[in-house]
Coordinates of all heavy atoms in Angstrom, one line a residue:
M235 N -6.8 7.9 7.3 CA -6.7 6.8 6.3 C -6.1 5.6 6.9 O -5.1 5.7 7.6 CB -5.9 7.3 5.1 CG -5.7 6.2 4.1 SD -4.6 6.7 2.8 CE -5.7 7.6 1.7
H236 N -6.6 4.4 6.6 CA -6.1 3.1 7.1 C -5.8 2.3 5.8 O -6.7 2.0 5.1 CB -7.1 2.5 8.0 CG -6.6 1.2 8.6 ND1 -7.4 0.3 9.3 CD2 -5.4 0.6 8.6 CE1 -6.8 -0.7 9.7 NE2 -5.5 -0.6 9.3
V237 N -4.6 1.9 5.7 CA -4.2 1.1 4.5 C -4.2 -0.4 4.9 O -3.6 -0.8 5.9 CB -2.7 1.5 4.1 CG1 -2.3 0.6 2.9 CG2 -2.6 2.9 3.8
V238 N -5.0 -1.1 4.1 CA -5.1 -2.6 4.3 C -4.7 -3.3 3.0 O -5.2 -3.0 2.0 CB -6.6 -2.9 4.7 CG1 -6.7 -4.5 4.9 CG2 -7.0 -2.2 6.0
V239 N -3.8 -4.2 3.2 CA -3.4 -5.0 2.0 C -3.8 -6.5 2.2 O -3.7 -7.1 3.3 CB -1.9 -5.0 1.8 CG1 -1.4 -5.9 0.7 CG2 -1.4 -3.6 1.5
D240 N -4.5 -7.0 1.2 CA -4.9 -8.4 1.1 C -3.6 -9.2 0.6 O -3.4 -9.3 -0.6 CB -6.1 -8.6 0.2 CG -6.5 -10.0 0.2 OD1 -5.8 -10.9 0.7 OD2 -7.6 -10.3 -0.3
F241 N -2.9 -9.7 1.5 CA -1.7 -10.4 1.1 C -1.9 -11.7 0.4 O -1.0 -12.3 -0.2 CB -0.8 -10.6 2.4 CG -0.2 -9.3 2.9 CD1 -0.7 -8.7 3.9 CD2 0.9 -8.8 2.3 CE1 -0.2 -7.5 4.4 CE2 1.5 -7.6 2.7 CZ 0.9 -6.9 3.8
D242 N -3.1 -12.2 0.5 CA -3.5 -13.4 -0.3 C -3.5 -13.0 -1.8 O -3.3 -13.9 -2.7 CB -4.8 -14.0 0.1 CG -4.7 -14.7 1.5 OD1 -3.6 -15.1 1.9 OD2 -5.7 -14.7 2.2
Q243 N -3.9 -11.8 -2.1 CA -4.0 -11.3 -3.5 C -2.7 -10.8 -4.0 O -2.4 -10.9 -5.2 CB -5.1 -10.3 -3.6 CG -6.5 -10.7 -3.3 CD -6.9 -11.8 -4.3 OE1 -6.6 -11.8 -5.5 NE2 -7.5 -12.9 -3.7
C244 N -1.9 -10.1 -3.1 CA -0.7 -9.5 -3.5 C 0.3 -10.4 -4.1 O 0.6 -11.5 -3.6 CB 0.0 -8.8 -2.3 SG 1.6 -8.1 -2.6
D245 N 0.9 -10.1 -5.3 CA 1.9 -11.0 -5.9 C 3.3 -10.4 -5.8 O 4.2 -10.9 -6.4 CB 1.5 -11.3 -7.4 CG 1.6 -10.1 -8.3 OD1 2.0 -9.0 -7.8 OD2 1.3 -10.2 -9.5
G246 N 3.5 -9.3 -5.1 CA 4.8 -8.8 -4.8 C 5.5 -8.1 -6.0 O 6.7 -8.1 -6.1
N247 N 4.7 -7.5 -6.9 CA 5.3 -6.9 -8.1 C 5.9 -5.5 -7.7 O 6.7 -5.0 -8.5 CB 4.3 -6.8 -9.2 CG 3.0 -6.0 -8.8 OD1 3.1 -4.9 -8.3 ND2 1.8 -6.6 -9.0
G248 N 5.5 -5.0 -6.6 CA 6.2 -3.7 -6.1 C 5.7 -2.4 -6.7 O 6.3 -1.4 -6.5
L249 N 4.7 -2.5 -7.5 CA 4.2 -1.2 -8.2 C 3.7 -0.2 -7.1 O 4.0 1.0 -7.3 CB 3.0 -1.5 -9.1 CG 3.4 -2.4 -10.3 CD1 2.1 -2.7 -11.1 CD2 4.4 -1.6 -11.2
C250 N 3.1 -0.7 -6.0 CA 2.7 0.3 -5.0 C 3.9 1.0 -4.3 O 3.8 2.1 -4.0 CB 1.8 -0.4 -4.0 SG 2.6 -1.8 -3.2
A251 N 4.9 0.2 -4.1 CA 6.1 0.8 -3.5 C 6.8 1.8 -4.4 O 7.4 2.8 -4.0 CB 7.1 -0.3 -3.2
D252 N 6.7 1.6 -5.7 CA 7.2 2.6 -6.7 C 6.3 3.9 -6.6 O 6.9 5.0 -6.6 CB 7.1 2.1 -8.1 CG 8.1 1.0 -8.4 OD1 9.1 0.9 -7.6 OD2 8.0 0.3 -9.3
A253 N 5.0 3.7 -6.4 CA 4.1 4.9 -6.4 C 4.2 5.6 -5.0 O 4.0 6.9 -5.0 CB 2.7 4.5 -6.7
A254 N 4.3 4.9 -4.0 CA 4.3 5.5 -2.6 C 5.3 4.8 -1.7 O 4.9 4.0 -0.8 CB 2.9 5.4 -2.0
P255 N 6.6 5.1 -1.9 CA 7.6 4.4 -1.2 C 7.6 4.7 0.3 O 8.1 3.9 1.1 CB 8.9 4.9 -1.8 CG 8.5 6.2 -2.5 CD 7.1 6.0 -2.9
E256 N 7.0 5.8 0.7 CA 6.9 6.1 2.2 C 5.9 5.1 2.8 O 5.9 5.0 4.1 CB 6.5 7.5 2.4 CG 7.5 8.5 1.9 CD 7.1 9.0 0.5 OE1 6.3 8.3 -0.2 OE2 7.7 10.0 0.0
V257 N 5.0 4.6 2.0 CA 3.9 3.8 2.6 C 4.1 2.3 2.4 O 3.8 1.5 3.2 CB 2.5 4.2 2.0 CG1 1.4 3.4 2.5 CG2 2.3 5.7 2.2
F258 N 4.6 1.9 1.2 CA 4.8 0.5 0.8 C 6.3 0.3 0.6 O 7.0 1.1 -0.1 CB 4.0 0.2 -0.4 CG 2.5 0.5 -0.3 CD1 2.0 1.6 -0.8 CD2 1.7 -0.4 0.3 CE1 0.7 1.9 -0.7 CE2 0.3 -0.1 0.4 CZ -0.2 1.0 -0.1
E259 N 6.7 -0.9 1.0 CA 8.1 -1.3 0.7 C 8.2 -2.7 0.4 O 7.6 -3.6 1.0 CB 8.9 -1.0 2.0 CG 10.4 -1.4 1.9 CD 11.1 -1.1 3.2 OE1 10.7 -1.6 4.3 OE2 12.1 -0.4 3.2
L260 N 8.9 -3.0 -0.7 CA 9.1 -4.4 -1.1 C 10.4 -4.9 -0.6 O 11.5 -4.3 -0.9 CB 9.1 -4.5 -2.7 CG 8.9 -5.9 -3.2 CD1 7.5 -6.5 -2.8 CD2 9.0 -5.9 -4.7
G261 N 10.4 -5.9 0.2 CA 11.6 -6.4 0.8 C 12.4 -7.2 -0.2 O 12.0 -7.5 -1.3
E262 N 13.6 -7.5 0.2 CA 14.5 -8.2 -0.6 C 14.0 -9.6 -0.9 O 14.4 -10.3 -1.9 CB 15.9 -8.3 0.0 CG 16.7 -7.0 0.0 CD 18.0 -7.0 0.6 OE1 18.5 -8.2 0.8 OE2 18.6 -6.0 0.8
D263 N 13.1 -10.1 0.0 CA 12.5 -11.4 -0.2 C 11.2 -11.3 -1.1 O 10.5 -12.2 -1.2 CB 12.1 -12.0 1.1 CG 11.3 -11.0 2.0 OD1 11.0 -9.9 1.5 OD2 11.0 -11.3 3.1
D264 N 11.0 -10.1 -1.7 CA 9.9 -9.8 -2.6 C 8.5 -9.9 -1.8 O 7.5 -10.1 -2.4 CB 9.8 -10.8 -3.8 CG 10.8 -10.4 -4.9 OD1 11.3 -9.2 -4.8 OD2 11.2 -11.2 -5.7
V265 N 8.6 -9.7 -0.5 CA 7.4 -9.7 0.2 C 7.1 -8.2 0.6 O 8.0 -7.5 1.0 CB 7.5 -10.5 1.5 CG1 6.2 -10.3 2.4 CG2 7.7 -12.0 1.2
L266 N 5.9 -7.8 0.3 CA 5.5 -6.4 0.6 C 5.3 -6.2 2.1 O 4.8 -7.0 2.8 CB 4.2 -6.1 -0.2 CG 3.7 -4.7 0.0 CD1 4.6 -3.8 -0.8 CD2 2.3 -4.5 -0.4
R267 N 5.7 -5.0 2.5 CA 5.5 -4.6 3.8 C 4.8 -3.2 3.8 O 5.2 -2.4 3.0 CB 6.9 -4.5 4.5 CG 6.8 -4.3 6.0 CD 8.2 -4.5 6.6 NE 9.2 -3.4 6.2 CZ 9.3 -2.3 7.0 NH1 8.6 -2.1 8.1 NH2 10.2 -1.4 6.6
V268 N 3.9 -3.0 4.7 CA 3.2 -1.7 4.8 C 4.0 -0.9 5.8 O 4.1 -1.2 7.0 CB 1.8 -1.8 5.2 CG1 1.1 -0.4 5.3 CG2 1.0 -2.7 4.2
R269 N 4.7 0.2 5.4 CA 5.5 1.0 6.3 C 4.6 1.9 7.1 O 5.0 2.3 8.2 CB 6.5 1.8 5.5 CG 7.5 1.0 4.6 CD 8.4 1.9 3.9 NE 9.3 2.6 4.9 CZ 10.0 3.7 4.5 NH1 9.9 4.2 3.3 NH2 10.8 4.2 5.4
A270 N 3.5 2.4 6.5 CA 2.7 3.3 7.2 C 1.2 2.9 7.0 O 0.6 3.2 6.0 CB 2.9 4.7 6.7
E271 N 0.7 2.2 8.0 CA -0.7 1.8 8.0 C -1.7 3.0 8.1 O -2.8 2.9 7.6 CB -1.1 0.8 9.1 CG -0.6 -0.6 8.8 CD -1.1 -1.6 9.8 OE1 -2.2 -1.4 10.3 OE2 -0.4 -2.6 10.1
H272 N -1.2 4.0 8.7 CA -2.0 5.2 8.9 C -1.2 6.4 8.3 O -0.6 7.2 9.1 CB -2.4 5.5 10.3 CG -3.2 4.3 10.9 ND1 -4.6 4.2 10.6 CD2 -2.9 3.3 11.6 CE1 -5.0 3.1 11.2 NE2 -4.0 2.5 11.8
P273 N -1.0 6.5 7.0 CA -0.1 7.6 6.5 C -0.7 9.0 6.8 O -1.9 9.2 6.9 CB -0.1 7.3 5.0 CG -1.4 6.5 4.7 CD -1.6 5.7 6.0
E274 N 0.3 9.9 6.9 CA -0.1 11.3 7.1 C -0.8 11.8 5.9 O -0.6 11.3 4.8 CB 1.1 12.1 7.5 CG 2.2 12.1 6.5 CD 3.4 12.8 6.9 OE1 4.3 12.2 7.6 OE2 3.6 14.0 6.6
P275 N -1.7 12.8 6.0 CA -2.4 13.4 4.9 C -1.6 13.7 3.7 O -2.1 13.6 2.5 CB -3.1 14.6 5.5 CG -3.3 14.2 6.9 CD -2.1 13.5 7.3
A276 N -0.4 14.2 3.9 CA 0.4 14.6 2.7 C 0.7 13.4 1.8 O 1.0 13.5 0.7 CB 1.8 15.2 3.2
L277 N 0.6 12.2 2.4 CA 0.9 11.0 1.6 C -0.3 10.3 1.0 O -0.2 9.4 0.3 CB 1.6 9.9 2.5 CG 3.0 10.3 3.1 CD1 3.5 9.3 4.0 CD2 4.0 10.6 1.9
W278 N -1.5 10.9 1.3 CA -2.7 10.3 0.8 C -2.8 10.2 -0.7 O -3.2 9.2 -1.3 CB -4.0 11.0 1.4 CG -4.1 10.7 2.9 CD1 -3.3 10.0 3.7 CD2 -5.2 11.3 3.7 NE1 -3.8 10.0 5.0 CE2 -4.9 10.8 5.0 CE3 -6.3 12.1 3.5 CZ2 -5.7 11.1 6.1 CZ3 -7.1 12.4 4.6 CH2 -6.8 11.9 5.8
P279 N -2.5 11.3 -1.4 CA -2.6 11.3 -2.9 C -1.7 10.1 -3.5 O -2.2 9.4 -4.4 CB -2.1 12.6 -3.4 CG -2.4 13.5 -2.2 CD -2.1 12.7 -1.0
A280 N -0.5 10.0 -3.1 CA 0.4 8.9 -3.6 C -0.2 7.6 -3.2 O -0.1 6.6 -4.0 CB 1.8 9.1 -3.1
T281 N -0.7 7.5 -2.0 CA -1.3 6.2 -1.5 C -2.5 5.8 -2.4 O -2.7 4.6 -2.7 CB -1.7 6.3 0.0 OG1 -0.6 6.8 0.7 CG2 -2.1 5.0 0.5
E282 N -3.3 6.8 -2.7 CA -4.5 6.5 -3.6 C -4.1 6.1 -5.0 O -4.7 5.2 -5.6 CB -5.4 7.8 -3.6 CG -6.1 8.0 -2.3 CD -6.7 9.3 -2.1 OE1 -6.5 10.2 -3.0 OE2 -7.4 9.6 -1.1
I283 N -3.0 6.7 -5.5 CA -2.5 6.3 -6.8 C -2.0 4.9 -6.7 O -2.3 4.1 -7.6 CB -1.4 7.3 -7.3 CG1 -2.0 8.6 -7.6 CG2 -0.6 6.7 -8.4 CD1 -0.9 9.7 -7.8
A284 N -1.3 4.6 -5.7 CA -0.8 3.2 -5.5 C -1.9 2.2 -5.4 O -1.9 1.1 -6.1 CB 0.0 3.1 -4.2
A285 N -3.0 2.5 -4.7 CA -4.1 1.6 -4.6 C -4.8 1.4 -5.9 O -5.1 0.3 -6.3 CB -5.1 2.1 -3.5
R286 N -5.0 2.5 -6.6 CA -5.7 2.4 -7.9 C -4.8 1.6 -8.9 O -5.4 1.0 -9.8 CB -6.0 3.8 -8.5 CG -7.2 4.4 -7.9 CD -7.7 5.5 -8.8 NE -6.7 6.6 -9.1 CZ -6.6 7.6 -8.3 NH1 -7.3 7.8 -7.3 NH2 -5.7 8.5 -8.6
G287 N -3.5 1.7 -8.7 CA -2.6 1.1 -9.7 C -2.3 -0.4 -9.4 O -1.6 -1.0 -10.2
C288 N -2.8 -0.9 -8.3 CA -2.5 -2.3 -8.0 C -3.2 -3.2 -8.9 O -4.5 -3.2 -8.9 CB -2.9 -2.6 -6.5 SG -2.7 -4.3 -6.1
P289 N -2.5 -4.0 -9.7 CA -3.2 -4.8 -10.7 C -4.0 -6.0 -10.0 O -4.8 -6.6 -10.7 CB -2.0 -5.4 -11.6 CG -0.8 -5.2 -10.7 CD -1.1 -4.1 -9.8
K290 N -3.7 -6.2 -8.8 CA -4.4 -7.3 -8.1 C -5.5 -6.8 -7.2 O -6.2 -7.6 -6.5 CB -3.3 -8.1 -7.2 CG -2.1 -8.6 -8.0 CD -2.5 -9.6 -9.0 CE -2.8 -11.0 -8.3 NZ -3.0 -12.0 -9.3
L291 N -5.7 -5.5 -7.2 CA -6.8 -4.9 -6.4 C -6.6 -5.4 -4.9 O -7.6 -5.7 -4.3 CB -8.2 -5.2 -6.9 CG -8.4 -4.8 -8.4 CD1 -9.8 -5.2 -8.8 CD2 -8.2 -3.3 -8.6
A292 N -5.4 -5.4 -4.5 CA -5.1 -5.9 -3.2 C -5.1 -4.9 -2.1 O -5.0 -5.2 -0.9 CB -3.8 -6.7 -3.2
I293 N -5.1 -3.6 -2.5 CA -5.0 -2.5 -1.5 C -6.4 -1.9 -1.3 O -7.1 -1.4 -2.2 CB -4.0 -1.4 -2.0 CG1 -2.7 -2.0 -2.3 CG2 -4.0 -0.3 -1.0 CD1 -1.7 -1.1 -2.9
T294 N -6.8 -1.8 0.0 CA -8.0 -1.2 0.4 C -7.7 0.0 1.3 O -6.9 -0.1 2.2 CB -8.9 -2.1 1.2 OG1 -9.2 -3.3 0.3 CG2 -10.2 -1.5 1.6
L295 N -8.3 1.2 1.0 CA -8.1 2.3 1.8 C -9.4 2.6 2.6 O -10.4 2.8 2.0 CB -7.7 3.5 0.9 CG -6.5 3.3 0.0 CD1 -6.2 4.6 -0.8 CD2 -5.3 2.9 0.9
R296 N -9.3 2.7 3.9 CA -10.4 2.9 4.7 C -10.4 4.3 5.3 O -9.3 4.8 5.5 CB -10.5 1.9 5.8 CG -10.7 0.5 5.3 CD -10.9 -0.5 6.4 NE -11.1 -1.9 5.8 CZ -10.8 -3.0 6.5 NH1 -10.4 -2.9 7.7 NH2 -11.0 -4.2 5.9
N297 N -11.5 4.8 5.6 CA -11.5 6.2 6.1 C -11.4 6.3 7.6 O -11.4 7.3 8.2 CB -12.8 6.9 5.7 CG -12.8 7.2 4.2 OD1 -11.8 7.5 3.6 ND2 -14.0 7.1 3.6
D298 N -11.4 5.1 8.3 CA -11.4 5.1 9.7 C -9.9 5.4 10.2 O -9.1 4.5 10.3 CB -11.8 3.8 10.3 CG -11.1 2.6 9.7 OD1 -10.6 2.7 8.5 OD2 -10.9 1.6 10.3
A299 N -9.7 6.6 10.5 CA -8.4 7.1 11.0 C -7.2 6.4 10.7 O -7.1 5.3 10.6 CB -8.5 7.3 12.5
Ligands
SF4_482 S1 0.8 -3.2 -6.3 FE1 -0.6 -4.7 -5.4 S2 0.1 -6.7 -6.0 FE2 1.8 -5.2 -6.3 S3 3.0 -5.3 -4.5 FE3 1.5 -3.7 -4.2 S4 -0.2 -4.6 -3.2 FE4 1.1 -6.2 -4.0

């Protein structure tokens, strides 16, 4: 899995970081950071929940490793 965030769409609300804190982190500057661009399989369910829950549809999950 490859996590791609469209930072032009992201408004920094932090919902993805709540859903998958191992993968997404909201900095003190309210800028989102991807902690794991290629999360291990155990984190895929939470990552998928985070992507589906993004109100800005800014998270794309690719199958390319
Ligand atoms: S849920 Fe979407 S809009 Fe919110 S911080 Fe994450 S990527 Fe950005």
Side-chain angles (χ1 to χ4, degrees):
M235 174 187 281
H236 183 191
V237 178
V238 179
V239 173
D240 181 348
F241 288 98
D242 289 335
Q243 295 298 320
C244 173
D245 68 3
N247 58 52
L249 293 175
C250 57
D252 290 342
E256 299 92 345
V257 179
F258 304 97
E259 180 179 55
L260 195 64
E262 289 181 11
D263 51 4
D264 283 345
V265 174
L266 183 71
R267 191 167 71 88
V268 180
R269 300 181 65 197
E271 280 189 31
H272 300 279
E274 58 188 84
L277 297 176
W278 291 0
T281 305
E282 287 164 355
I283 289 170
R286 280 200 303 272
C288 174
K290 307 295 284 187
L291 302 179
I293 302 171
T294 301
L295 304 180
R296 298 186 180 154
N297 289 325
D298 53 332

